[in-house]
Amino acid sequence: MPVVNYISWVTLAFMITSSVASLRAAPSMAVYGLAAVFLYLLPAIVFLLPTSLVSAELASGWNGGVYKWVSEGISAPMGFLAVWCQFAMTIFYYPSLLAYVASTLAYVFDPSLASNGLWTAAVIMVCFWSGVFVSSQGTKSVAGLSSLGLIIGTLLPGVILVVLGTVFLGQGNEPAAPMDSDHLLPAWAGLASLVLIVNNFLSYSGMEMNAVHVSSLRKPGREFPRSMFLAVALVLLIFILPALAISWVVPASEISLTSGVMQAFDAVFGQFGLTWMTPLLGIMLVIASLGGMLTWLAGPSKGLLLVSRKYGYLPLGLQKLNKHGVQQNLLVIQGLITTVIALLYAFIPDVSSAYWILSVITTQVYLVVYLLMFIAAMRLRRIRPDHPRGFRAPALHLLCVVGLLASVAAMLIGFVPSSQFGGGSTLQYVLIVGGGLVVVGLLIPWLFYRFRKPSWKSADPELTEAIE
């Protein structure tokens, strides 16, 4: 029998939080002042809450993550589709995250490097391949480093922002943004406001992803819901409080959405003569981003591997495990794709616009996971009502319906062109996004399913058990 490297439920909560929460969006939300609370709480109620409660019930009854839930609730092919979409989303997530790391590091060493494609490409490749190496050492290594990244690079900087903001108000200064009841809701700007609210749904995506590690808990049925609830609380605090703190100190007209969180920290520190701390905070933010990358590396590819070993959906070469029971070949394939995208940053000046469209496509693909998960949860409650569950979500069907409607709304909004599209026609944009969704989210997994071979199924149950 394989040796299980157990982790605590608090560590798993930190992994979940690390994969979702970030300070990157704080400056852009600070522009809305007190209304930022509404812009985060509404999506939390209609998307974060259903996702968290539903995945807590599913994980407490079925090990293995979203692929297991959808396989049991709908069918094995749909389980493969769900985990494929979860995996495919990450392919373009990593370069985006690491490009942010590159710009943050540039701010620390030399701000002019932020627009240097070679610098961006080099940082992406070095960081990603380092992450592949760490992930190949097993779940316990990932858990420790991602938790450390969350504490050092997200929680601590967030606390510093909130403390300084509170001190600023305590000194008798008026908040830069109005904090009265007239500003609880954002100004309505039609479709643009709807896009803003729905886009915040996706700020919470990934809460279910680390359920694949539920078997690393000693008492999964009791401990995973605890992990999820602690993660929900931490995510909300990390998103809301730092954004408010920035809005207290920095006027909205002075918040740079392009320079982002580093400029916001610099402005806050400037109020207290602490600008020397800005580079230090930049390094801490980088640590947080790398910790978040590790949790995404460890989750979706592990889920894809398990379902492929059981049902033979991937060639044997992609199913190979290293001595730590980690899907190293899948990680290497991801690394090669990430390297190609990194090189595009280096040699194609206007790659950002095209890359942004690819990011929209992968977001659409990821929403397929949530549609399948909510449908599977409702069916499992109906067809397997007596199956042991360590946690039962209250009003499960209502939660699933709300989650389904929120996911559909987010998917529809994804077809609305953004200003980043560069003025192209709406029809062209819809065709590109829709075509990408069909190819990446449906055609490629269908081809794997269509041409699968019986010989691709794992003949060694212990190896399959090692990654459950």
Side-chain angles (χ1 to χ4, degrees):
M1 293 292 291
V3 177
V4 178
N5 292 317
Y6 288 110
I7 58 177
S8 72
W9 67 270
V10 174
T11 298
L12 183 57
F14 282 175
M15 289 180 69
I16 296 170
T17 306
S18 178
S19 65
V20 176
S22 168
L23 296 177
R24 278 182 290 165
S28 60
M29 296 306 296
V31 171
Y32 300 96
L34 192 57
V37 177
F38 171 83
L39 292 172
Y40 274 127
L41 284 183
L42 179 61
I45 293 169
V46 301
F47 188 77
L48 174 64
L49 189 64
T51 299
S52 303
L53 292 176
V54 170
S55 59
E57 170 169 328
L58 293 172
S60 71
W62 291 269
N63 286 355
V66 69
Y67 53 92
K68 181 70 170 180
W69 309 337
V70 177
S71 295
E72 293 284 340
I74 304 177
S75 67
M78 289 296 101
F80 175 66
L81 174 62
V83 75
W84 168 264
C85 289
Q86 193 179 57
F87 173 77
M89 176 267 183
T90 65
I91 293 174
F92 296 98
Y93 168 78
Y94 302 131
S96 174
L97 175 67
L98 295 177
Y100 160 76
V101 168
S103 64
T104 302
L105 281 176
Y107 200 96
V108 172
F109 298 112
D110 180 2
S112 66
L113 289 173
S115 58
N116 187 309
L118 286 173
W119 164 262
T120 302
V123 171
I124 290 174
M125 288 189 286
V126 169
C127 289
F128 187 85
W129 285 108
S130 298
V132 169
F133 172 76
V134 172
S135 294
S136 68
Q137 305 307 300
T139 300
K140 198 162 188 178
S141 298
V142 172
L145 289 174
S146 62
S147 298
L148 185 65
L150 174 69
I151 295 169
I152 293 177
T154 300
L155 294 180
L156 185 55
V159 168
I160 291 173
L161 266 181
V162 174
V163 168
L164 290 180
T166 304
V167 170
F168 178 80
L169 295 181
Q171 291 175 337
N173 296 299
E174 286 293 320
M179 291 290 129
D180 55 74
S181 58
D182 292 336
H183 294 84
L184 282 172
L185 300 178
W188 179 254
L191 184 60
S193 295
L194 187 60
V195 171
L196 173 66
I197 293 171
V198 173
N199 280 346
N200 269 4
F201 292 0
L202 304 175
S203 298
Y204 299 117
S205 61
M207 290 295 294
E208 82 300 333
M209 184 263 296
N210 281 291
V212 74
H213 300 305
V214 71
S215 58
S216 296
L217 297 172
R218 293 186 182 275
K219 299 177 181 178
R222 288 194 337 203
E223 293 182 341
F224 185 81
R226 291 181 190 173
S227 298
M228 188 64 79
F229 296 143
L230 176 57
V232 168
L234 289 174
V235 166
L236 286 174
L237 290 174
I238 290 168
F239 277 145
I240 293 173
L241 294 184
L244 283 179
I246 294 173
S247 73
W248 296 338
V249 182
V250 187
S253 60
E254 297 178 16
I255 296 177
S256 169
L257 301 184
T258 54
S259 299
V261 71
M262 290 297 290
Q263 181 268 351
F265 269 111
D266 200 43
V268 173
F269 289 151
Q271 292 286 340
F272 298 90
L274 299 174
T275 52
W276 58 269
M277 288 184 62
T278 303
L280 177 62
L281 265 292
I283 294 173
M284 294 168 71
L285 292 172
V286 166
I287 292 173
S289 296
L290 296 180
M293 182 193 74
L294 287 175
T295 60
W296 280 96
L297 271 174
S301 59
K302 181 177 179 180
L304 179 61
L305 176 65
L306 179 55
V307 73
S308 298
R309 289 180 71 83
K310 284 189 174 181
Y311 300 105
Y313 289 144
L314 291 181
L316 292 177
L318 294 180
Q319 299 182 28
K320 188 177 179 180
L321 304 177
N322 66 9
K323 64 181 180 180
H324 300 289
V326 175
Q327 57 284 4
Q328 187 165 307
N329 286 5
L330 271 177
L331 295 177
V332 168
I333 293 296
Q334 284 183 298
L336 293 175
I337 298 173
T338 300
T339 298
V340 170
I341 296 174
L343 292 174
L344 292 179
Y345 272 99
F347 298 110
I348 303 179
D350 59 347
V351 70
S352 58
S353 178
Y355 178 75
W356 180 81
I357 294 179
L358 291 175
S359 298
V360 172
I361 292 171
T362 52
T363 298
Q364 298 287 78
V365 169
Y366 197 29
L367 286 167
V368 174
V369 177
Y370 291 106
L371 296 176
L372 293 172
M373 185 185 80
F374 288 125
I375 292 171
M378 288 191 289
R379 291 201 75 240
L380 283 170
R381 183 67 79 88
R382 181 169 58 84
I383 65 177
R384 306 280 295 278
D386 299 323
H387 181 86
R389 295 164 169 84
F391 170 78
R392 286 182 175 266
L396 178 85
H397 287 276
L398 176 60
L399 290 171
C400 289
V401 169
V402 172
L404 278 170
L405 292 175
S407 300
V408 170
M411 185 170 281
L412 292 176
I413 288 298
F415 287 99
V416 177
S418 164
S419 58
Q420 290 165 288
F421 185 52
S425 73
T426 300
L427 178 61
Q428 180 186 11
Y429 178 86
V430 170
L431 290 176
I432 292 173
V433 173
L437 173 61
V438 170
V439 172
V440 177
L442 298 176
L443 179 60
I444 294 178
W446 179 82
L447 289 173
F448 277 120
Y449 177 78
R450 173 67 177 79
F451 294 104
R452 71 194 188 285
K453 297 179 180 179
S455 60
W456 290 355
K457 293 184 180 181
S458 172
D460 189 340
E462 284 198 5
L463 286 179
T464 298
E465 187 179 350
I467 55 171
E468 286 189 326

